Amino acid sequence: MKHTSETHRPPGHADRRNPPRSFSMTGDWQLRSALLAGLILGGFGVGSARAADVYDETTRQSLVEAVEAASVVDLYHARCRGDVSGRRTENLNKLLVGKLRITVLTVKDDLFPERSYRHAEQRLEQDFATALRDVGGCQGAKESPLPEQWKTRYEATLDAIRALP
C-alpha cells in the first residue's frame, strides 16, 4: 500500500522517483508541433506579398533611397566615428515595420537590384568605401560637407516614408 503522502499530492507536484518525461518528438507532441508550425507559417504567408508587387514605383524608390541613406550614415559613423550601433538603420526599420509592416531586409531582398540583402549590403559598403577614398578618407570626409549632406538625405527619406499613406 502507498503511503498517504504519496497518494495525496497537489496537482503538478513532481515525484522524485518518477520524474516527468522529457519532451520527445512522438505522438501528440509531434502533431502539435506540426500544427503550430503550419499556423505560424501559414499566418505569415496569408496576405504577405513581395514588396516589389505591393507598392507603386514612387514608393519603391522612396524605400530604396531610405535604406541607402540610412546605410551610408551608419557606415560613416562606424568607419570614421567608431559608432557601430547601426542606429539609423534600426530607426528606419522601426518606422518601416510600424508603418508598412516590412523590414529593411525585405526592402533589400525585394526592391534592390541585387535581390539579395547580402549582395546589396556588399555593394553599399563598396560604394561607401569608394566615396570615402575619393574625399581623402575619414579626415577628408570630416572636413567636407558630406556628413551633413548624408544626414540631411537620411532625414528627408525618413520624412518621405512618414508621409506615405
Side-chain angles (χ1 to χ4, degrees):
M1 178 155 183
K2 292 187 177 184
H3 190 271
T4 56
S5 65
E6 293 176 8
T7 58
H8 295 97
R9 287 192 192 102
H13 184 270
D15 183 357
R16 289 184 187 149
R17 288 174 291 167
N18 297 316
R21 292 184 356 204
S22 62
F23 290 110
S24 66
M25 293 302 289
T26 60
D28 289 340
W29 175 251
Q30 190 175 25
L31 179 61
R32 286 183 195 147
S33 295
L35 288 173
L36 182 60
L39 288 172
I40 291 171
L41 294 174
F44 287 123
V46 173
S48 66
R50 289 175 42 109
D53 300 333
V54 175
Y55 302 109
D56 63 11
E57 184 61 29
T58 305
T59 302
R60 289 193 294 264
Q61 288 175 337
S62 295
L63 293 170
V64 169
E65 179 74 17
V67 170
E68 288 178 345
S71 295
V72 167
V73 176
D74 281 342
L75 287 168
Y76 168 73
H77 281 269
R79 177 79 63 92
C80 299
R81 302 193 48 134
D83 175 15
V84 293
S85 67
R87 180 175 41 177
R88 288 97 195 148
T89 301
E90 287 186 22
N91 289 341
L92 173 62
N93 200 53
K94 288 176 189 174
L95 177 63
L96 292 176
V97 168
K99 181 140 184 106
L100 303 173
R101 302 288 185 241
I102 62 172
T103 65
V104 168
L105 290 179
T106 303
V107 172
K108 288 178 181 177
D109 274 341
D110 293 353
L111 302 179
F112 273 63
E114 294 86 357
R115 299 284 189 223
S116 162
Y117 78 92
R118 287 187 179 109
H119 294 131
E121 287 173 358
Q122 288 174 344
R123 179 183 53 86
L124 291 170
E125 289 172 11
Q126 290 170 350
D127 291 351
F128 175 76
T130 300
L132 192 61
R133 186 187 64 231
D134 291 347
V135 296
C138 287
Q139 190 59 40
K142 288 177 183 178
E143 295 169 356
S144 77
L146 279 178
E148 190 59 37
Q149 290 172 358
W150 291 331
K151 181 182 174 189
T152 302
R153 176 183 171 214
Y154 165 71
E155 290 170 353
T157 61
L158 283 183
D159 291 339
I161 300 296
R162 286 184 189 111
L164 291 173

